[in-house]
Amino acid sequence: MYAAIQKGLQGADIHYVQGDLIEVAAASRDAIDFLSLSDVPSYFEGAQERDFLQRVRPALGPDGLAVLRSYLRIPAGMNTDGFDNVTERFRDVVAQEKVGVYRVGIYQKRSEA
Ligand SMILES: C[S@@+](CC[C@H](N)C(=O)[O-])C[C@H]1O[C@@H](n2cnc3c(N)ncnc32)[C@H](O)[C@@H]1O
């Protein structure tokens, strides 16, 4: 896995940012194609749990993806307006996840009509 990641990142320009993931993503000046939220929204509650996808939506590029991986707690009541749940499209990839305890949800930004 490490070797595959290392190979995939060749030539990539990596920036490390410490902060609130949603605030940092929402403020990004580069359009985000892929937002990995691996077992992070499980820790949200209240308005943050409901609205985090709406907060990051303007920063996502056309057809940008937000990938949620949840374990003990599945986020509830998320406002997914402006997104399509495309999890089923990635069923084969998700099936390769071998830990076996995670629930994956994949949301794609719906382009404006
Ligand atoms: C269970 S860990 C997940 C770690 C890793 N992403 C994974 O999938 O194994 C959840 C982490 O999310 C962090 N977290 C929760 N809310 C966050 C936020 N708004 N911004 C950045 N990190 C956050 C917590 O501090 C914790 O380290």
Side-chain angles (χ1 to χ4, degrees), residues 18-24 36-44 48 69 71 102:
Q18 184 173 21
D20 181 294
L21 176 68
I22 302 304
E23 285 179 18
V24 170
S36 170
L37 299 165
S38 178
D39 205 11
V40 174
S42 333
Y43 290 75
F44 295 167
Q48 188 183 37
R69 194 169 80 139
Y71 174 38
Y102 292 106

Side-chain angles (χ1 to χ4, degrees), residues 43-113:
Y43 290 75
F44 295 167
E45 56 185 21
Q48 188 183 37
E49 181 176 13
R50 188 183 63 234
D51 296 329
F52 71 93
L53 281 175
Q54 299 307 315
R55 298 246 353 256
V56 299
R57 190 177 181 282
L60 292 175
D63 303 324
L65 292 174
V67 179
L68 280 58
R69 194 169 80 139
S70 306
Y71 174 38
L72 290 176
R73 183 172 175 279
I74 315 286
M78 292 186 304
N79 180 349
T80 60
D81 289 352
F83 285 88
D84 292 315
N85 184 337
V86 296
T87 311
E88 192 56 26
R89 198 197 298 165
F90 295 92
R91 183 178 24 175
D92 292 349
V93 180
V94 173
Q96 293 176 41
E97 204 277 320
K98 296 295 184 223
V99 182
V101 298
Y102 292 106
R103 190 88 68 85
V104 175
I106 305 176
Y107 296 87
Q108 184 165 47
K109 179 178 178 174
R110 194 179 306 136
S111 298
E112 311 288 344

Side-chain angles (χ1 to χ4, degrees), residues 28-41:
S28 173
R29 283 185 276 151
D30 295 317
I32 298 170
D33 297 320
F34 184 93
L35 186 64
S36 170
L37 299 165
S38 178
D39 205 11
V40 174

